[in-house]
Amino acid sequence: MKVLLNELTTQRLEDSLGGQPGNFKLFYDTEDCGCNGMLVIMIVKEPNATDIVFQQEPFVFLCDRQQESLFDEVMKLEADEGYPSYKLTSDSTLFGSNIRVKDAR
């Protein structure tokens, strides 16, 4: 898998790290949701035992191997210019808009 980033998205993700080390985890959070889950981008210190690292540059991206099938091979993450959220898409799918970054370090 690969996540394409534009300049604004790269800057926002860098700002989210706050100068500290961290990895970005694509995660469908189903806790207290009552649905198939809401996509969030979690900042984690290190991968869990069930996580796979699928991208190293310009940031480390990972996901749980059980959720890997929910994503496409190539996706585009775009920061919203006027709001602190993101949109994740591929050529065939809108995975989510208004996606938030949650710092779980």
Side-chain angles (χ1 to χ4, degrees):
M1 291 188 327
K2 181 175 181 146
V3 178
L4 304 174
L5 309 170
N6 62 24
E7 189 175 321
L8 176 61
T9 304
T10 301
Q11 183 59 51
R12 290 262 181 92
L13 292 175
E14 185 70 39
D15 292 346
S16 295
L17 291 173
Q20 300 176 38
N23 304 297
F24 292 102
K25 180 176 181 173
L26 300 180
F27 183 72
Y28 277 99
D29 187 359
T30 57
E31 190 171 317
D32 297 327
C33 180
C35 60
N36 290 334
M38 294 187 62
L39 182 59
V40 297
I41 302 169
M42 295 176 58
I43 301 175
V44 296
K45 282 186 179 181
E46 55 191 40
N48 292 329
T50 59
D51 289 340
I52 57 166
V53 174
F54 64 85
Q55 184 168 321
Q56 297 278 346
E57 295 294 331
F59 304 104
V60 174
F61 279 93
L62 48 104
C63 70
D64 188 285
R65 68 175 58 127
Q66 292 182 345
Q67 294 188 357
E68 180 183 16
S69 65
L70 302 174
F71 300 105
D72 288 347
E73 191 61 32
V74 178
M75 298 171 289
K76 184 176 183 180
L77 184 64
E78 297 176 86
D80 185 332
E81 288 188 33
Y83 200 68
S85 65
Y86 299 84
K87 174 174 67 172
L88 184 66
T89 61
S90 71
D91 286 344
S92 62
T93 305
L94 170 64
F95 295 97
S97 57
N98 199 25
I99 300 168
R100 302 300 182 97
V101 172
K102 179 180 177 183
D103 196 336
R105 290 178 280 193

